Amino acid sequence: MGLGVLGLSAPTAAFAEEGGPEVSRVVCGTDAATGLAVTAGSAGDCAAALRVADAYTKAGLREGGAVTVVRSDDTVWRCQEQQGDPNPYQECVDTTDSARHVMLTS
């Protein structure tokens, strides 16, 4: 199940893709370069999530599980494609706090 998001003015609750992490997510908006929905663990993380998504797409999304390391707000994030059910999604994890995830979904 992918998420399509257009013109959100405030974060809204969402849930992880089937087969993905079993945590509630907040839809923060869309990545300007790709149009992918950007989600985070809480509304308080949305500004950072959008900056991480921007850094990741500028570095170039990689398919097939290749890892991309990006830096945003003095934090290093490890990003890569994950297999969803049925569609893959992009996920970035804070290297200093593995509980912080940013997801990009179609």
Side-chain angles (χ1 to χ4, degrees), residues 37-106:
V38 178
T39 63
S42 71
D45 286 335
C46 277
L50 291 166
R51 289 190 297 271
V52 169
D54 182 60
Y56 183 32
T57 56
K58 284 181 179 170
L61 300 174
R62 296 205 172 84
E63 296 179 0
V67 175
T68 301
V69 176
V70 298
R71 180 179 295 276
S72 178
D73 299 329
D74 295 324
T75 301
V76 176
W77 296 79
R78 184 179 184 274
C79 305
Q80 69 185 113
E81 183 179 87
Q82 303 291 332
Q83 185 56 50
D85 183 19
N87 298 320
Y89 60 95
Q90 306 293 327
E91 182 176 44
C92 297
V93 179
D94 181 337
T95 61
T96 61
D97 180 357
S98 63
R100 291 183 69 200
H101 294 252
V102 173
M103 292 173 59
L104 291 87
T105 57
S106 58

